[in-house]
């Protein structure tokens, strides 16, 4: 007999969503490569602790390292970093029911990679923008709600999508079903380019977005994303203050100032002041998702003959920081003005 939900990757995203569903009464099992994190979650005296402004609670749960896992699941929620998608999907495939599916709770364009491995009909996509951080083994801080969307890859509104919508509403009451998920995913990439920019400095998200001296750089980054999305025929969606129309060539000063103001206002109250990308560089000292997100956009841009000098320069800076060749510093973005 198959089980219900397997969370593959119990970090900031997977751990938060899984904890909410577990508390709501769902059969949830966690898988993570961090053995210490796994031990904490399944320890009846510790569990998975959620903290933050949204809510604070602790759940005890079944948790395993991938090497310990056995059984089949009807639904596997994949919540690993974009650059780990292919390896993780190959690992989870044996545990997926023949009529089950994988839900991508990730940033980037991971759905196509997943579908190549398990099949398009066994893949469901999602756009998420809530703010959470893995802070220690067995601990996740969830500081702010954000937009959330789910969709089938072929755009159909199916019964399984409706069921998933009901289930995930326990976590995010405002979640919606969409017939055009790609518009949300590409919109998030546009916004993500600004978060990658924030990650090379010391200031938080709101303070970075409020910097007028680097606004030409931020505009150039998101404009390149928008241009590639247009070439792909994607109708971009805005969310949480980010308006993709403001990053088109010829956008008015008023539109540009408005979206930056709205993004700053959305981010200013958050206790999660810095992006997860910044935490990867500054605190966890590990590679970021830059190749799995911005790198993919650059490759698609190449297919269309679209130059991406701003994205190329930012990607290069991030790799330098990852290798320890460049410090995190506010003037990193100023260098991109040259």
């Amino acid at each position: 007999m198959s089980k219900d939900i397997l969370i593959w990757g119990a970090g900031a995203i997977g751990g938060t969503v899984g904890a909410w569903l577990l508390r709501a009464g769902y059969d949830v099992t966690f898988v993570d490569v961090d053995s210490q994190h796994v031990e904490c979650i399944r320890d009846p005296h510790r569990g998975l602790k959620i903290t933050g402004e949204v809510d604070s609670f602790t759940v005890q749960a079944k948790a395993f390292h991938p090497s310990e896992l056995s059984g089949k699941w009807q639904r596997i929620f994949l919540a690993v970093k974009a650059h780990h998608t292919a390896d993780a999907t190959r690992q989870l495939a044996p545990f997926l029911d023949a009529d089950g599916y994988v839900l991508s709770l990730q940033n980037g364009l991971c759905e196509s990679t997943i579908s190549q491995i398990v099949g398009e009909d066994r893949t469901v996509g999602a756009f998420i923008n809530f703010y959470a951080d893995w802070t220690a083994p067995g601990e996740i801080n969830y500081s702010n709600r954000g937009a959330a969307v789910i969709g089938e890859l072929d755009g159909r509104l199916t019964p399984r999508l409706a069921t998933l919508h009901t289930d995930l509403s326990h976590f995010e009451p405002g979640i919606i079903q969409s017939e055009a998920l790609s518009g949300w995913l590409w919109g998030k990439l546009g916004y993500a380019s600004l978060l990658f920019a924030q990650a090379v400095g010391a200031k938080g998200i709101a303070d970075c977005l409020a910097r007028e001296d680097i606004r030409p750089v931020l505009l150039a980054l998101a404009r390149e994303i928008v241009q590639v999305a247009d070439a792909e025929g994607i109708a971009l969606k805005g969310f949480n203050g980010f308006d993709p129309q403001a990053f088109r060539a010829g956008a008015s000063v008023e539109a540009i100032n408005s979206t930056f103001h709205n993004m700053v206002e959305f981010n200013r109250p958050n206790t999660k002041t810095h992006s997860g990308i910044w935490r990867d560089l500054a605190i966890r000292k590990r590679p970021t998702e830059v190749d799995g997100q911005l790198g993919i956009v650059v490759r698609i841009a190449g297919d269309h003959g679209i130059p991406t000098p701003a994205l190329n320069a930012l990607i290069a800076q991030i790799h330098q920081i990852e290798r320890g060749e460049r410090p995190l510093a506010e003037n990193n973005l100023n260098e991109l003005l040259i």
Side-chain angles (χ1 to χ4, degrees):
M1 179 178 179
S2 67
K3 303 166 188 177
D4 191 11
I5 299 171
L6 180 66
I7 305 286
W8 198 283
I13 295 174
T16 306
V17 173
W20 246 261
L21 293 179
L22 187 65
R23 188 174 63 164
Y26 289 83
D27 178 8
V28 177
T29 302
F30 293 99
V31 173
D32 201 88
V33 296
D34 186 327
S35 297
Q36 191 176 4
H37 189 47
V38 167
E39 288 296 332
C40 288
I41 294 173
R42 66 189 182 190
D43 184 338
H45 302 293
R46 297 189 63 178
L48 176 58
K49 184 178 181 180
I50 303 295
T51 62
E53 284 65 32
V54 178
D55 204 349
S56 295
F57 62 94
T58 300
V59 295
Q60 277 74 41
K62 296 169 287 186
F64 302 91
H65 186 274
S67 63
E68 303 172 320
L69 199 63
S70 63
K72 295 281 187 179
W73 276 263
Q74 184 68 27
R75 301 186 288 181
I76 300 180
F77 294 1
L78 182 57
V80 301
K81 297 289 188 179
H83 51 292
H84 298 313
T85 301
D87 288 343
T89 305
R90 284 190 286 266
Q91 277 190 302
L92 67 81
F95 306 104
L96 181 63
D97 253 2
D99 61 346
Y101 65 83
V102 177
L103 170 68
S104 173
L105 288 176
Q106 301 169 272
N107 291 312
L109 305 174
C110 302
E111 286 78 4
S112 62
T113 299
I114 297 168
S115 66
Q116 290 169 14
I117 296 171
V118 301
E120 183 172 319
D121 61 333
R122 302 172 80 198
T123 306
V124 178
F127 154 86
I128 47 175
N129 195 49
F130 67 89
Y131 283 26
D133 283 319
W134 182 99
T135 54
E139 296 182 15
I140 295 170
N141 182 269
Y142 178 25
S143 63
N144 196 58
R145 295 189 181 279
V149 182
I150 55 173
E152 297 280 5
L153 301 195
D154 61 6
R156 292 180 301 135
L157 298 178
T158 61
R160 73 176 181 184
L161 195 68
T163 298
L164 182 62
H165 177 264
T166 299
D167 297 339
L168 289 177
S169 293
H170 290 286
F171 169 68
E172 175 45 61
I175 193 170
I176 65 174
Q177 304 175 65
S178 175
E179 297 173 283
L181 180 66
S182 59
W184 296 96
L185 296 178
W186 275 88
K188 180 63 181 290
L189 281 170
Y191 180 62
S193 70
L194 309 180
L195 298 183
F196 278 100
Q198 177 272 314
V200 303
K203 292 183 182 293
I205 299 170
D207 288 334
C208 177
L209 293 174
R211 284 181 61 187
E212 294 190 5
D213 63 313
I214 60 165
R215 185 154 296 177
V217 171
L218 301 181
L219 285 168
L221 289 166
R223 277 175 177 164
E224 290 178 2
I225 302 282
V226 169
Q227 187 178 8
V228 178
D230 286 346
E232 288 282 290
I234 306 296
L236 292 170
K237 303 291 186 179
F239 57 91
N240 298 145
F242 176 78
D243 178 9
Q245 302 305 319
F247 295 92
R248 297 189 181 280
S252 69
V253 173
E254 290 78 11
I256 293 168
N257 289 341
S258 176
T259 194
F260 275 96
H261 170 80
N262 292 338
M263 288 188 290
V264 170
E265 288 298 300
F266 176 77
N267 283 279
R268 183 69 74 191
N270 295 344
T271 55
K272 176 183 166 66
T273 56
H274 291 65
S275 66
I277 307 152
W278 180 89
R279 287 180 59 84
D280 284 340
L281 293 173
I283 297 174
R284 306 195 72 180
K285 307 294 185 183
R286 65 182 186 180
T288 69
E289 295 182 281
V290 68
D291 291 329
Q293 293 191 49
L294 302 189
I296 289 177
V297 174
V298 168
R299 289 196 290 275
I300 296 173
D303 294 339
H304 292 284
I306 299 172
T308 54
L311 290 172
N312 292 340
L314 179 60
I315 291 169
Q317 275 198 0
I318 290 175
H319 285 319
Q320 289 170 351
I321 296 170
E322 289 172 342
R323 295 192 298 265
E325 298 169 359
R326 174 186 290 268
L328 291 171
E330 290 306 300
N331 64 355
N332 283 334
L333 288 172
N334 294 94
E335 289 186 24
L336 300 184
L337 291 169
I338 299 174

